[in-house]
Each structure stands twice: as structure tokens, then as C-alpha cells.
Amino acid sequence: MKVCVLLLVPVLLSWVESRSPYQAVLQHSRIRGRAQGPNVCAMQQRKGTDKKYFTNCKQWYHRKICGEPTVISYECCPGYEKIPGEKGCPAALPLVNIYNTLGVVGASTTQMYSERAELRPEIEGPGSFTFFAPSNEAWAALPTELLDALVSNVNIELLNALHYHMVDRRLTSEELKHGASFPSMYQDLHVHIHHYSNGVVTVNCARLIKPDQHATNGIVHVVDRVITAISNTINTLLEVDDDLETLRTAMAAAGLSTMLEGEGQYTVFAPTNEAFDKIPKETLNRILGDPVALRDLLNYHILKHMQCAESIVSGTPMETLQGSVLEVGCEGDQMTLNGRAVVTKRDQMGTNGVVHYISELLIPDSAKVLLELAEGSAVATATQLFVEAGLTPHLTGSEPLTMLAPLDAAFTGSDTTMTPDMRTLMTNHLLRTQLSSKSLYHGQELETLGGVKLRVFVYRNNLCIENACIAAHDKMGRYASMFTVGKVLTPPMGTVMDVLKADDRFSVLVGAVQTAGLTELLNQQGALTFFAPTNEAFGALPPPDRSRLLRDPQQLSSVLRLHLGEGLLVSGGVSSHTRVKPLQGERLELGVRNYTVYVNRVPVAAADLMATNGVVHAVNTIIKPMPPKVDREQSDGPADPASSRGDSRSFRNDDLFRKVLSSHSSRAMKQ
């Protein structure tokens, strides 16, 4: 028995893998409908429309198609029918010829027109045909003038139209492969098949809504629109439409016309003349006059594959010829690009693809100057400050630069008045070369327009330039790049000792450093992280203990060395359970809770005071060693009030803390 199972598994896997996407979706619909009886399929119908879909797993749980809620209905799966008094759809539909099949699958209008055009004998008689039969609703949706033209000349126009819906062989949904085309029975003009991964199958962008309706002399696939013969390439479609004159000229200038005339399967989102007119003249002229930017702009409007509107049931990222991604989606009956309903005319078919008209020009980052990159991002405050600082020529020119653009939230509570210092600060947010974050490495030095050297720090959870860590994907412009960062940059302005001396909060600490003989250490080259006790931290000690500590160089050195970590760690590099090796003691345990960094349970009051040889983080409590077996999660937040107040009992009675002090004293005596 085990052998049989082992042999059967590869066979089943092979069968599952060989199923078409449509068959996979149909099977899922069967599974969802089986509680209703045999051969029942669950269908999802968009509320307020007659559009129904076989359901896949994602749609079933989301209960939405094109952003709109759906209702579930249960219908007989293709090829089956109900029997009065019995559950489900137990009976197979009787096989009849194609003409009679049209009458029972919702294509009675096609059946009527087949008789008028004298096609009935052909689809009743011998042969093997595939009929892509428009539904009754599809005929009703045709413009009146077009329908009148067809039915007024039934022997030629209507017959030709119906023959174009037919292929002279039987083609099941399994054989309707993505990208395939078959000669129709009208002058051998091809019909074009697309079988999408979500189970949607189209012919000339008309969706098959009732596939695989078998007949004695072929098969019927009911489609949701009347299809028309295709003989022109995409390039020809662009050439004959005056609404696309600007696009046509641009395509020719970029050398893309030949590509759109040749073989392929493209999707072109075609901006109308009006769409080009919406762009500021200066911007448009710059792009049209720059061959590289123009080609990127146009390629951003072209997908590498053919995407019919009816194949879209939710937002899907799709790669363009330019290399970036567009999110092609839908909202109700509207086709959307990057979430915007800009598609005004859909599914204009060519022999080598499809054209969708759009009302807005899509400008990729690679065709933008630095100011345009910033204006399209969540960095409005920084953008305004760059402009006020007189840096517009750098932001609109062709210099290779990288902008460090802080998020708007980074300026909360800050004075953004333009002053000489602010102008200098914003200048130092521009780097002298165009960079990609992927090219950055730990210890790398970058020069700003202001001549300041900035350091790169690579952490497990973040990539930072000084204290400013990258908060979003790069934006790579025509000449320059933009890194969105989470904080306003604070370039290093001196050594750690210089930082302490320049800040009144550390006046007691500066004296303590000098008493402990650590001045040279804090001035020399290196990379230190100093969790620097403020005056408030020292003030929290009982006066006798504070006085004794500040007069004892050895004990003071031990205490301060516990606050000094090896290596440079900015706040953005701290993650859950980060450990730092102090110069004195076993370890410092760091964590983050509610956007506050904690070190050995002590909250950091002010982070990221950058120095040339390290970084200073201010703490308002003297840090004590962690117990040997402390629950590491406790380092991510405050300790008991009693343990973090720094009162006389906690300071005097902490044996571990005294052990550190005494051990340092013993070593000093031995030396």
C-alpha cells in the first residue's frame, strides 16, 4: 500500500502542475461549492454588476474584486445541469451541435444572428469548430450604429464578423495557451489568446465567461464582448490617431517606433496630447530634449507583456521596459495605474499588443531632477528648506548628487526658520556624488557640498549615514539620487570631549572625566559610544555618595568606563536585545520600546550627539551593571521605579555595582 501511495504522489503532483490557471481556479470554485451538491461551482459577483468570476483562494477570503465587495452565488459547473428534486447539478448537459448549444449557454443572440447570416447550417453540420460566442449582454453593449451596420448587411458584414469568432478546430481552455494565436475562419486573420495566472482567459481582450461548453461538432466559449478583426500593429494604431500626435512624435524621436512595428507582445499606456499638455513646459522640454530621459519616460509606459483590462481583478506590480514597476489595478469599472484612475480608453488591440489611453503622463524617477524627486515624496518640509537655503540650482541641474531628505516627522518640534546655521545644515544634506544605498559600506566616508565628511554605519537592522538612517527605498533620478532618512542629520562637530564641553547638561560629567583621567581617551581617534550621565543623573545621587565618587579617580573611572561602549552605535542601529561591550564590566544590554532606546533598563534622554570619534547618548540616570541572569527583555524597558530612581539605598546596597568599583580599586593598588 505504501508503494502505491509513493507512486501516486508524483503522478498527482505532475497533474496539478500541468493544470492551466483556469482549471486551477475552476477546481477551487468546485471545492468551495461542493457543500451545495455535486458539480456546483462557487461564483463571485461584483455587487451592482452582472460580472461573475470563478473564485481563487485570495478572492474567496478577501471577498473583493477590483476593490468592490462581492456576493457568492452557486451555479452548475460548466457542462452540468440541475435535476428537479435533486441536490446540486448531477446531470451532464446533453451534447448537441454548436447552434443548439448557443441557445442554452446564454448566447441566444449569437444563435439568432447565426441564423440571419445563414451560418446555421455550418454550425449544425459536420466539422470541428471553436466558437467564441458573444453573450447576449455583449451584443446589447455594442454601439447602436455599429450593430445596425452589421445587421443591415447580414450576408457579408455579419457573416464575416461571426466567422472571425470561429476557429476551424476544437480548442479547449487547456489548449488556449498564454500568447497563442489561431487563424480565424475570416480570411485567416488571427485571434489572440491570453491565459493569465489568475485564471482569466481572454480572446482579443474579451474575457471567457463560460468556457468549455462542449458540442458534438466543436466547443463554445462564451465571451463578454463582440471582438473585431485585428490587422494593425501598435505603431500603426499610434500613427492614425490624432489624439496621440505628441506621443507618436516622441516615440519616433526615441527610436521606439521600429520596436512597436515589429513582433512582440506589448502593453502601451498611451498618454494623450492633453496628458502631455498638463506637464510644465520647462519640465517637458527638458525631457524631450534629453534622449536618455525621453527613452526612460516612454519605456516606463510600456509593459514587457500584453495585459488586457479584463484580466485585472486587483492591483498587481508589473515591470516596464524602463525597469521600474507600475502597479496596474482596478477600482470598480476603472482601470488604474499606481492607484489612479487615469485610463480613459481600454483594450485597443494590435497584432503585437494592446494600447490603453491615459489622461496623465507617467514620469519615472530616472527622468526626474532632484527637486522633482523630492516634490513627489513625503519630505515637503526638507524640500522647502532646500529651496529657502538657495540650493535650487543644485536640485535642478545636472550635478551628480545624493540628497539626504529627512521625513517631515523629523522636523516636529524643531525651529525651521532659515538662518545661516540652517543653510549650512541643509547644504550638508547634499552629498557630492550620485549614490545607491546598495553601494554603501561600513566605515565609508562621504563628502557633503559643505565639505563635511560623513561616515556610513552598517548595522544588522539599518543603514545609517551618521545619525540619519535610511527610511525608504532609494529614488534614482536622471543625475542625482535621494535617500529618505528618518532624522535630521547632525554632522560631527568635534571629539566626544568637545561634544560634552559644548553642552551645559554635561558640565558635571566634564569635570568627572578630567578627574578620572579619561580626557585623552575621549579626544583620541577611535569609535566609542558614550552613554553620558547628565547633571541630572549625578544630581540624583545622595550628596555624600556623589561627593565621594567625584573625588575618587579610580571609582569614577570604573563608573564612567561602564558607560563607554566599544564601537560606534547610533540609536537607529539598536534593535531588540542589542549588546555592547563596555570598557569596564561584562556587557551593556540595549533595546527599544515605544521609540525610546534603553540601556541596562535606563532610558536614553537624548540620542545621537555625533562626534568625530564616537557618539554621545545622554542618560538621566547612572547606569549599573545588569544582574548575571537578568531577563533580557527587561533591558528593553524601564526597571522597577525603585531600581531606576538612583536613590541612596539602590546606589549603596547594589553589591554588583560595588564589586565593579572595588575590583577596579584592587587592580589599581596592585599596579
Side-chain angles (χ1 to χ4, degrees):
M1 183 63 182
K2 291 181 180 178
V3 175
C4 292
V5 171
L6 290 173
L7 289 174
L8 187 58
V9 168
V11 174
L12 286 172
L13 289 175
S14 175
W15 177 77
V16 169
E17 290 172 359
S18 66
R19 285 187 305 170
S20 68
Y22 164 72
Q23 289 294 335
V25 171
L26 177 62
Q27 180 62 20
H28 184 267
S29 290
R30 280 180 174 274
I31 291 171
R32 295 299 177 186
R34 62 189 172 188
Q36 309 299 316
N39 305 312
V40 175
C41 284
M43 305 289 290
Q44 284 189 271
Q45 180 174 354
R46 276 177 44 207
K47 284 185 177 179
T49 74
D50 58 0
K51 287 192 171 185
K52 295 181 181 180
Y53 299 80
F54 293 108
T55 178
N56 61 31
C57 190
K58 181 179 179 181
Q59 292 165 358
W60 178 263
Y61 286 109
H62 286 186
R63 291 290 202 277
K64 283 189 176 182
I65 291 176
C66 288
E68 294 188 340
T70 60
V71 293
I72 304 297
S73 62
Y74 297 95
E75 301 180 4
C76 292
C77 295
Y80 295 91
E81 65 178 350
K82 292 180 176 293
I83 294 178
E86 294 196 28
K87 188 176 182 181
C89 305
L93 283 170
L95 279 183
V96 293
N97 59 51
I98 287 179
Y99 178 81
N100 290 325
T101 300
L102 293 173
V104 297
V105 295
S108 57
T109 304
T110 300
Q111 184 186 49
M112 176 188 69
Y113 286 142
S114 297
E115 183 156 9
R116 284 196 195 179
E118 298 182 1
L119 182 63
R120 177 174 179 175
E122 188 173 357
I123 58 178
E124 277 187 332
S128 183
F129 309 107
T130 297
F131 202 148
F132 297 102
S135 66
N136 297 338
E137 293 78 12
W139 287 105
L142 270 185
T144 304
E145 61 275 12
L146 180 57
L147 184 59
D148 288 345
L150 288 174
V151 300
S152 64
N153 193 350
V154 293
N155 292 329
I156 299 177
E157 297 296 339
L158 184 59
L159 181 61
N160 290 344
L162 292 172
H163 267 150
Y164 185 65
H165 287 74
M166 295 176 63
V167 175
D168 194 10
R169 56 181 283 201
R170 182 192 301 262
L171 295 168
T172 66
S173 62
E174 287 287 305
E175 297 166 287
L176 300 178
K177 304 294 185 183
H178 190 69
S181 66
F182 302 96
S184 73
M185 292 176 64
Y186 170 59
Q187 298 183 0
D188 284 340
L189 291 174
H190 280 233
V191 292
H192 301 269
I193 305 298
H194 289 86
H195 195 141
Y196 296 95
S197 59
N198 60 6
V200 172
V201 184
T202 63
V203 53
N204 287 19
C205 284
R207 183 168 66 94
L208 275 61
I209 55 177
K210 291 184 180 178
D212 294 336
Q213 307 294 327
H214 290 271
T216 55
N217 57 345
I219 193 167
V220 174
H221 303 292
V222 181
V223 297
D224 68 351
R225 72 179 73 165
V226 178
I227 62 175
T228 55
I230 298 168
S231 57
N232 292 326
T233 64
I234 289 178
N235 191 57
T236 303
L237 294 176
L238 302 184
E239 285 182 344
V240 299
D241 194 332
D242 290 341
D243 282 342
L244 303 177
E245 181 181 358
T246 307
L247 175 63
R248 180 168 63 246
T249 303
M251 287 286 189
L256 295 176
S257 300
T258 303
M259 179 188 75
L260 298 180
E261 189 67 40
E263 293 185 1
Q265 290 287 299
Y266 301 108
T267 300
V268 176
F269 296 103
T272 61
N273 298 338
E274 184 181 349
F276 279 96
D277 290 341
K278 293 178 181 178
I279 303 300
K281 284 293 183 185
E282 183 180 352
T283 300
L284 185 59
N285 290 337
R286 175 183 61 78
I287 294 174
L288 293 177
D290 180 346
V292 175
L294 178 60
R295 195 173 183 89
D296 276 358
L297 171 78
L298 297 175
N299 279 334
Y300 188 56
H301 290 75
I302 305 174
L303 302 182
K304 297 179 178 181
H305 60 277
M306 182 169 155
Q307 199 73 42
C308 297
E310 283 299 319
S311 68
I312 304 295
V313 295
S314 62
T316 306
M318 298 183 185
E319 188 176 0
T320 66
L321 288 185
Q322 181 262 347
S324 299
V325 168
L326 279 177
E327 185 183 83
V328 183
C330 52
E331 194 66 38
D333 290 327
Q334 297 290 318
M335 189 176 182
T336 62
L337 293 179
N338 292 341
R340 296 174 59 82
V342 297
V343 178
T344 57
K345 188 191 292 186
R346 307 184 298 182
D347 294 340
Q348 305 304 298
M349 285 282 298
T351 56
N352 57 348
V354 64
V355 178
H356 306 292
Y357 288 44
I358 58 175
S359 60
E360 292 184 10
L361 191 66
L362 309 173
I363 304 180
D365 289 344
S366 60
K368 294 179 179 179
V369 295
L370 198 47
L371 183 60
E372 292 164 350
L373 290 179
E375 288 174 341
S377 307
V379 292
T381 304
T383 303
Q384 181 180 346
L385 290 173
F386 281 121
V387 172
E388 290 178 1
L391 297 170
T392 301
H394 296 288
L395 306 186
T396 56
S398 57
E399 289 177 87
L401 300 171
T402 299
M403 173 192 286
L404 305 179
L407 290 166
D408 291 337
F411 292 96
T412 302
S414 301
D415 182 4
T416 56
T417 303
M418 186 51 59
T419 62
D421 286 345
M422 177 63 78
R423 186 172 291 108
T424 299
L425 178 64
M426 298 313 296
T427 303
N428 286 328
H429 279 73
L430 293 175
L431 306 177
R432 286 189 179 275
T433 185
Q434 184 178 18
L435 296 168
S436 162
S437 63
K438 294 179 180 178
S439 68
L440 301 181
Y441 57 89
H442 192 75
Q444 184 177 5
E445 279 198 344
L446 309 172
E447 186 178 357
T448 72
L449 277 185
V452 174
K453 300 286 188 180
L454 303 179
R455 298 158 295 180
V456 176
F457 305 116
V458 179
Y459 302 106
R460 186 175 298 277
N461 65 321
N462 239 329
L463 176 60
C464 307
I465 299 173
E466 295 298 335
N467 63 305
C469 299
I470 295 176
H473 293 298
D474 305 358
K475 285 183 173 289
M476 303 295 292
R478 174 66 179 93
Y479 306 104
S481 306
M482 187 181 87
F483 297 166
T484 302
V485 294
K487 290 186 175 183
V488 177
L489 182 76
T490 54
M493 301 305 291
T495 65
V496 169
M497 196 63 190
D498 293 332
V499 170
L500 298 179
K501 287 180 177 179
D503 194 322
D504 291 340
R505 291 174 296 180
F506 302 119
S507 58
V508 176
L509 177 60
V510 169
V513 167
Q514 293 168 341
T515 300
L518 298 178
T519 303
E520 184 179 351
L521 174 67
L522 300 188
N523 274 323
Q524 68 188 19
Q525 288 187 350
L528 294 171
T529 300
F530 196 178
F531 297 97
T534 61
N535 296 345
E536 180 180 335
F538 284 103
L541 299 175
D545 290 340
R546 180 173 65 250
S547 178
R548 185 169 62 251
L549 176 64
L550 293 176
R551 289 197 307 268
D552 188 329
Q554 287 79 18
Q555 285 192 352
L556 195 54
S557 177
S558 292
V559 171
L560 295 181
R561 284 175 179 271
L562 178 65
H563 290 69
L564 280 162
E566 297 176 357
L568 199 158
L569 180 64
V570 300
S571 61
V574 178
S575 58
S576 180
H577 310 317
T578 299
R579 284 192 172 191
V580 172
K581 174 67 176 172
L583 300 188
Q584 174 79 45
E586 182 182 348
R587 70 190 187 280
L588 293 173
E589 294 270 4
L590 282 80
V592 181
R593 183 171 295 176
N594 296 330
Y595 304 103
T596 298
V597 174
Y598 287 83
V599 51
N600 285 17
R601 308 180 188 175
V602 173
V604 170
D608 300 331
L609 308 176
M610 305 305 295
T612 55
N613 60 341
V615 61
V616 175
H617 304 296
V619 291
N620 290 331
T621 303
I622 299 293
I623 296 171
K624 298 181 296 181
M626 297 292 281
K629 294 184 179 180
V630 69
D631 180 357
R632 294 180 65 187
E633 295 232 348
Q634 292 179 354
S635 66
D636 291 350
D640 262 315
S643 65
S644 59
R645 275 196 300 262
D647 58 30
S648 60
R649 289 171 298 168
S650 65
F651 186 79
R652 286 197 299 265
N653 298 332
D654 191 323
D655 293 336
L656 280 170
F657 195 57
R658 283 200 166 278
K659 185 177 180 182
V660 170
L661 301 183
S662 62
S663 65
H664 179 80
S665 299
S666 299
R667 285 197 301 271
M669 290 175 65
K670 289 178 182 178
Q671 292 173 355

